Structure formats: C-alpha cells, structure tokens
Amino acid sequence: MEPRRRRSPLSPVWGRPEHEKVVTGCQEKIQHWKKVESDYEALQERLQTLPDKLSYDIMVPFGPLAFMPGKLVHTNEITVLLGDNWFSKCSAKQAIELVEHRKKHVRKALDDLQKVMKNFESRAEFTEDLQKMSDAAGEYVDIREEIDDDSIETKGKYRTAHRPHSKPKASNVFEVDFPANGSDTKSMGRFQSEEELWARLEELERQEEILGELDRMPDAVEANGEDATSSEEEKDKETDVNGTCGAGDCITQGNFHNEVANSDLFVGQLNGSAYYHSDDEDDRGAGDNAVPTIFFSHTVEPKRVRINTGKNTTLKFSEKKEEAKRKRKNSSGNGHPTPELPNIKTPADIYRVFVDVVNGEYVPRKSILKSRSRENSVCSDTSENSAAEFDDRRGVQRSISCDEATQSDTSEGILEEEEEEQQQLPKKLPPSSGTAEAFSGTVIEKEPLSPSLIPHPVLAHPVLPTILERKSEELLSDAPEEPIKRISKFKAARMQQTQ
Amino acid sequence: QVPGYTKGEQKSVLFASNKKHSVPSIKEQKVVVDELSNLKKNRKVYKQQPNSNIFFLADRTETLSECKNTLDELKKAHQELENSEKAKIKK
C-alpha cells in the first residue's frame, strides 16, 4: 500500500499506467482467490465437525426467499463436485483431503499472482525512477541519425545520357542489322561480285583523275588523294563501330567502303559527329584549297543501315551522294554548272529530280515517305538515339522485310543492265541533280530540305560542297549534283546502274 | 430479513464476510451482539454456512460469546490501524 501512495501523486509516465493496471488487476485476482481460500477453509472447518454428530437441525433453503426447517441426516456422506456436473460420493474425511488439495492449488495461484504483482510494481517504480532521472539531470542525451537527402539523390546523379560516340549504340546497330542480314545472305554472291566491280570502277576513276581526264584542278586531285587516305581511316572506324555486325553484313560493308572511299569527303562531312575527327582531317587537307569547314553534329547516320537493308536502294543513294560530291568538287574547281542537269528552282524540279528513271520513263517512287522514314529511323544507329527513334526503327524493320522482297526483284534486272552499261560508259547523267542554290551551308537536323533554304549558302561558300542533313539526304543528294560540270564515266555508269 | 426465527444468524453472516472492513463490520458486530443478548431464551439461533444457503442450528449463548469475541478482535484491529495512521501523520 505504501509504495503506491508514494507513487500516486507523481506525474504519469508512459508505460506506468499499464503497469498500474496490471498491478490492480493482480490485486483483484488475489482478493478473489483469497475469498475462495477462506471459503474452502470454512468448508474444511465444517467438514471436520460435521461427522461429529449423527444429525443436524438445519434450515433448508426453499428457493431464494424461503426456508424450511429440516434435518441433516447423512453427516458423513458427502458428494463432491468434480467438475462438469460430475459428483463423487465420499466421506467427510476424504472431502477434507479434497478440500486441502484444492486449497493447495488456490495457494499456488495466489503466490503466482503475488509475484506478478511485485514484478509489475517494480517495473512501475523503475519507469517512475527513469522519469525522475530524465527530469532531473541532463545526463541523458537524445541520439539521432539524420538521413541526408544526398544519399537518396546519388542514385540519380550518376545517370548520364549516352554520348553521341558512346559504344552502346553498336548493340543497337547489331539488333537492327541482324534480321536484315538474313535477307541479304541470299544475294551474297551477287554482292561479292559487285564489290569487286566497284573496286575496279574506283580504280579506274582514280586513274582518270590522275591522268587529268576530267580537267580537274590539281588541288582537287590532291584533295582526292587525301580523301583516299582518310577514307581508309574511316573504313577502320566504320568497321570498329560495326564490329557487331554479322558476317553477311560485312560483305555489304565492304561494298559500302568502296563507295566511302570515293565519297569520303562528302560522307565525312555528312556523317558529322560520327566521323568528326576524320572530318577534320579532310578539312585540313582541303584547307589548302581554301575550303571552309563547317562543323556540326547531328544524330543521323543512315548509311550503314541503308546498306544493311539494302541492295539496290542503298547503293543508289550512296552513289548519288558520291556523285554529288564529285560534281561539287568539280564545280568548285571550274565553276561551270553542268548544262545537262536540270536547275532546281522550284519544288517541282526537286520532285522531277527525285523520280526514278526506269527504262527511260519517269517513275515516281512509290515509297518516298517510306524510304525516307526508313532513313530517318535508321540514322539513329551511330548517333544518339532516343527511345522514340528506336521504336521507329523497329517498325521500319518490319516494313523493310516486306520491301526487300519487292526490291530484290527489281534490282536483279537492274543489276544485269548495269553490267552491260558499264562497258558502254553511258554519258547520260541521271536526272537527279540540283542547282547550286539547291544546297545550303547550313544544316538543319531532321528536316527535309525546304526550298527556302536553297538560295543562300552555295554562293557564300562556293568552294566547298554543302553539308547536308542525313535525313534529307535523298533530296539533298539530288540537289547538289547540279553544279557539277564533269563526272567520271564510271561514276555516270554507276549512277545509271542504280536507276 | 430472512425468516424470523432469529436475527442473529444474519448478523453473523455479515460479520464473517466483512471481517476486514473494520468500521462497518464493527458496527454490524455490535448490532449482532446486541440482538443476541436481547433474545428470549427459547429462541433458536441459526448460523449460515459460509458460501452456501444452508443454516445450521446453533446454540444461542455460544453464538453470543463468539460474536462478542469477534467484536473485541475487530475493535483491536481497528485501534491498531488508527494508531499506525496517526503515527504516520505525525512523521
């Protein structure tokens, strides 16, 4: 009692009320058990004296309110409740033993309750003491660990966007190329022969240049020579980048490299970020010719993929580019526009240029949009690709597989023609060409060349061929061809072949 | 009031149960003693078996003496309690 009194006036501590509850509960139970014990004691007492007499006069309860006088006769005959309404008949002595047994149990319960009560009392005291201590002295310090927000942010910090030259794109390239290769394999043999063919053509071209058959300026030749060397570098780079490409791809790749050798300057500039260093070299080499350099970077590198998908169409495009480059060079050297080529002054002209010539007839390309979309999507291979582009490509792949079936049909016939034409050295240039105005010194990313762009740049930089956007390559490659006066026979042949 | 044979029997019951609550039990005990002492000699006195409803016939004089003894004990206990409390207050 006393300790509780001491505690009661104190301010409440957390946990203490619970302890108090337990203690009071224990006390109640103890009380109950004590009463039971006392009852048993009374019973025991009664039982001890009950058999002393033969009979007892008693008042027998008759309901809760009434009593009847009676006699207790069987004083030594007691029925004991065992539990669950089962009784056993026994003598008073046995009953006393039973009562004793039950009293033991009751005492045990009492002891347990006492222990529990003490335990909780001590706990209550402890919490009380704790509060006293915390109230009294500042010995106890709050220890906290604060989490810096930085640690959470670090996760995001290390995320960086892919750089334009970063390798992971190679995997993308591979992904895209693989299915294309499958379709390529069937035409492998032809390509091999083609490759040789192109190599031969190139050689001849070079010889032409060296002999001055094209009336080139000496510096132009020089530039070409350097181009050849730089093109080698480019080849290496390309192979590096394309390292992941399949075997079938490599064959086409070789073909492609030949073209690159011819059109390296053009390509280098066109490729922009992908071949930036080689660009520099080219430009330096051309710097002797006072060729202004335009640096730019863009995300487009269509060439590779086109070759992968490609066969005829790809060859066509790259050829045209090459041609355009050559022509531009010539024009820069000589300054005469080629009279044969149509001037592009209106969009309509561009369209005309853009048309394919099949058997001397203009056949508008059915899938201009398709092919271009393919280019666009494809372009993202070497350059940065956004997720959207990637998706695009996938979609394109599907369409490509369809395209190829049709393309291969037409292309075979054309290829046969090519062989013949090669001997004839056809003079007719493809209609695809543009005026000097058609290309500009400015590069616009991912926008087809618009007529508005046409007027300015060439005049500003007459020496250097314009740098064109990959995306609009199809258009552009056609357009810049105009200013070129002379062209190698072999080139011309190629161009016709492509058509 | 249980049937009118005796009054003392009920008092005794109260006495047994309220042993610890000194003040009321002392009062009751006083009443019981009073009643028992005022009973006619031919009256029967029954004593209830604790925790049951049976009343055993008891001797009147014996019951009276028992009740007096318990009353004395109760008074003593009460006295002790009061003394201890007073001592505490003084401290």
Side-chain angles (χ1 to χ4, degrees):
Chain A
M1 270 285 157
E2 283 197 325
R4 287 195 73 202
R5 251 181 227 167
R6 235 197 307 131
R7 248 178 282 132
S8 55
L10 289 172
S11 62
V13 187
W14 70 265
R16 218 187 124 203
E18 296 300 316
H19 294 152
E20 291 291 327
K21 264 187 201 169
V22 174
V23 170
T24 52
C26 279
Q27 280 171 338
E28 282 171 16
K29 278 178 188 171
I30 285 169
Q31 209 114 31
H32 169 254
W33 281 114
K34 274 186 179 172
K35 210 216 165 215
V36 171
E37 199 187 17
S38 69
D39 287 347
Y40 272 119
E41 276 172 5
L43 179 64
Q44 210 171 21
E45 216 177 310
R46 171 57 67 187
L47 282 174
Q48 275 168 354
T49 57
L50 196 64
D52 292 352
K53 276 185 172 180
L54 208 60
S55 67
Y56 288 90
D57 288 325
I58 57 163
M59 296 297 292
V60 181
F62 200 70
L65 299 175
F67 288 90
M68 282 175 77
K71 253 191 183 175
L72 192 58
V73 181
H74 303 279
T75 51
N76 201 13
E77 213 177 293
I78 294 160
T79 47
V80 180
L81 174 66
L82 299 174
D84 198 23
N85 279 333
W86 282 88
F87 297 85
S88 72
K89 213 179 210 178
C90 61
S91 68
K93 224 178 182 179
Q94 288 169 324
I96 290 167
E97 281 173 18
L98 281 169
V99 169
E100 190 61 41
H101 177 73
R102 292 187 187 184
K103 274 168 76 179
K104 265 188 197 171
H105 177 74
V106 172
R107 265 181 242 133
K108 198 194 166 194
L110 269 171
D111 285 352
D112 288 349
L113 281 169
Q114 294 281 7
K115 280 178 190 172
V116 171
M117 203 177 70
K118 277 184 184 174
N119 189 6
F120 275 88
E121 274 180 353
S122 68
R123 279 193 202 185
E125 273 181 53
F126 175 72
T127 51
E128 191 187 320
D129 292 347
L130 202 68
Q131 206 203 10
K132 273 185 193 168
M133 284 191 282
S134 63
D135 285 347
E139 298 169 26
Y140 296 87
V141 185
D142 193 15
I143 300 172
R144 289 182 196 172
E145 183 185 352
E146 290 187 5
I147 298 169
D148 292 337
D149 287 348
D150 294 350
S151 61
I152 299 162
E153 284 175 21
T154 46
K155 207 181 175 185
K157 264 187 185 175
Y158 297 125
R159 293 183 73 189
T160 53
H162 287 301
R163 286 174 194 166
H165 304 282
S166 61
K167 283 200 171 178
K169 269 111 203 186
S171 64
N172 290 340
V173 170
F174 177 70
E175 225 179 302
V176 174
D177 288 347
F178 193 72
N181 288 341
S183 56
D184 276 350
T185 47
K186 71 178 175 187
S187 56
M188 248 174 60
R190 194 183 62 211
F191 268 115
Q192 268 172 329
S193 65
E194 247 181 350
E195 198 182 340
E196 290 168 17
L197 192 92
W198 290 122
R200 175 65 184 151
L201 267 175
E202 213 146 342
E203 228 177 277
L204 286 171
E205 257 178 280
R206 227 166 268 152
Q207 280 178 1
E208 243 184 341
E209 284 170 11
I210 289 160
L211 291 173
E213 277 184 31
L214 291 175
D215 284 344
R216 283 193 168 199
M217 300 278 286
D219 48 9
V221 177
E222 219 178 358
N224 252 5
E226 284 194 31
D227 289 351
T229 58
S230 64
S231 71
E232 292 303 318
E233 293 173 10
E234 258 187 2
K235 276 185 200 172
D236 293 342
K237 279 188 181 181
E238 285 237 17
T239 47
D240 284 348
V241 177
N242 287 343
T244 50
C245 292
D249 202 27
C250 287
I251 293 161
T252 58
Q253 201 85 38
N255 198 355
F256 166 64
H257 283 319
N258 287 342
E259 293 170 357
V260 170
N262 288 336
S263 62
D264 56 73
L265 181 59
F266 183 81
V267 167
Q269 283 167 343
L270 273 180
N271 286 348
S273 63
Y275 302 111
Y276 202 76
H277 298 295
S278 63
D279 280 353
D280 282 353
E281 285 168 22
D282 287 348
D283 291 333
R284 250 173 262 140
D288 301 339
N289 307 334
V291 174
T293 309
I294 298 171
F295 298 101
F296 66 94
S297 62
H298 60 72
T299 59
V300 178
E301 220 301 281
K303 212 170 205 178
R304 184 171 308 132
V305 184
R306 239 191 275 134
I307 278 154
N308 292 339
T309 51
K311 311 183 180 183
N312 244 6
T313 50
T314 68
L315 289 178
K316 227 187 279 174
F317 293 146
S318 51
E319 234 178 336
K320 277 178 188 172
K321 264 179 269 152
E322 180 191 332
E323 210 176 350
K325 180 205 87 187
R326 284 288 157 95
K327 281 170 187 173
R328 262 179 271 129
K329 270 190 185 170
N330 289 347
S331 72
S332 68
N334 297 340
H336 322 294
T338 323
E340 299 163 1
L341 300 173
N343 285 342
I344 293 181
K345 302 203 171 174
T346 64
D349 292 335
I350 292 171
Y351 172 76
R352 227 171 283 134
V353 165
F354 202 58
V355 154
D356 282 334
V357 178
V358 177
N359 298 331
E361 291 177 8
Y362 286 108
V363 175
R365 273 177 215 156
K366 284 173 187 172
S367 60
I368 288 172
L369 290 176
K370 253 193 194 172
S371 64
R372 197 178 287 160
S373 70
R374 194 187 304 158
E375 270 183 18
N376 294 348
S377 61
V378 150
C379 287
S380 54
D381 280 354
T382 48
S383 50
E384 316 163 42
N385 32 344
S386 61
E389 278 176 337
F390 193 74
D391 288 350
D392 237 6
R393 208 181 309 147
R394 272 188 212 142
V396 167
Q397 255 178 279
R398 270 177 248 129
S399 65
I400 282 170
S401 58
C402 303
D403 284 357
E404 246 158 3
T406 58
Q407 278 178 3
S408 60
D409 292 345
T410 57
S411 66
E412 280 181 32
I414 289 166
L415 278 174
E416 286 168 18
E417 279 179 49
E418 282 176 330
E419 306 252 348
E420 296 166 15
E421 281 177 328
Q422 201 183 341
Q423 311 299 340
Q424 296 168 4
L425 302 176
K427 285 128 209 166
K428 196 199 173 189
L429 285 171
S432 60
S433 55
T435 49
E437 299 155 21
F439 49 85
S440 64
T442 56
V443 176
I444 294 167
E445 283 236 333
K446 304 203 172 186
E447 277 181 17
L449 186 67
S450 62
S452 65
L453 284 177
I454 292 172
H456 53 98
V458 176
L459 300 175
H461 313 284
V463 199
L464 192 66
T466 33
I467 294 154
L468 303 170
E469 243 292 86
R470 278 282 145 170
K471 297 196 49 186
S472 53
E473 233 173 320
E474 230 177 320
L475 261 184
L476 291 173
S477 63
D478 295 338
E481 282 173 334
E482 267 270 295
I484 297 161
K485 284 153 216 165
R486 304 211 172 183
I487 191 163
S488 147
K489 310 165 198 171
F490 303 104
K491 274 247 170 119
R494 274 194 216 172
M495 287 188 62
Q496 278 210 340
Q497 285 162 16
T498 58
Q499 288 166 10
Chain B
Q1 281 263 342
V2 189
Y5 289 99
T6 62
K7 294 169 186 175
E9 53 191 25
Q10 288 165 10
K11 309 291 156 91
S12 67
V13 170
L14 284 172
F15 164 73
S17 64
N18 293 333
K19 229 179 189 177
K20 282 185 181 175
H21 305 87
S22 53
V23 179
S25 59
I26 285 173
K27 279 183 184 173
E28 286 174 6
Q29 206 63 37
K30 279 180 184 174
V31 173
V32 170
V33 171
D34 226 25
E35 291 280 348
L36 282 173
S37 59
N38 287 333
L39 275 175
K40 289 179 183 172
K41 292 195 177 174
N42 61 346
R43 286 292 188 187
K44 288 178 182 175
V45 176
Y46 290 84
K47 201 178 177 182
Q48 187 184 22
Q49 174 64 30
N51 205 27
S52 74
N53 220 8
I54 300 172
F55 290 81
F56 283 89
L57 184 65
D59 187 46
R60 187 184 55 85
T61 52
E62 275 183 21
T63 326
L64 182 60
S65 64
E66 268 184 29
C67 283
K68 279 182 179 172
N69 284 338
T70 50
L71 181 61
D72 288 346
E73 283 175 16
L74 279 170
K75 277 183 178 175
K76 269 188 184 176
H78 183 69
Q79 206 76 26
E80 281 179 13
L81 263 174
E82 279 191 345
N83 287 339
S84 65
E85 276 192 9
K86 279 179 183 175
K88 268 184 188 173
I89 291 164
K90 283 178 183 176
K91 282 175 187 176

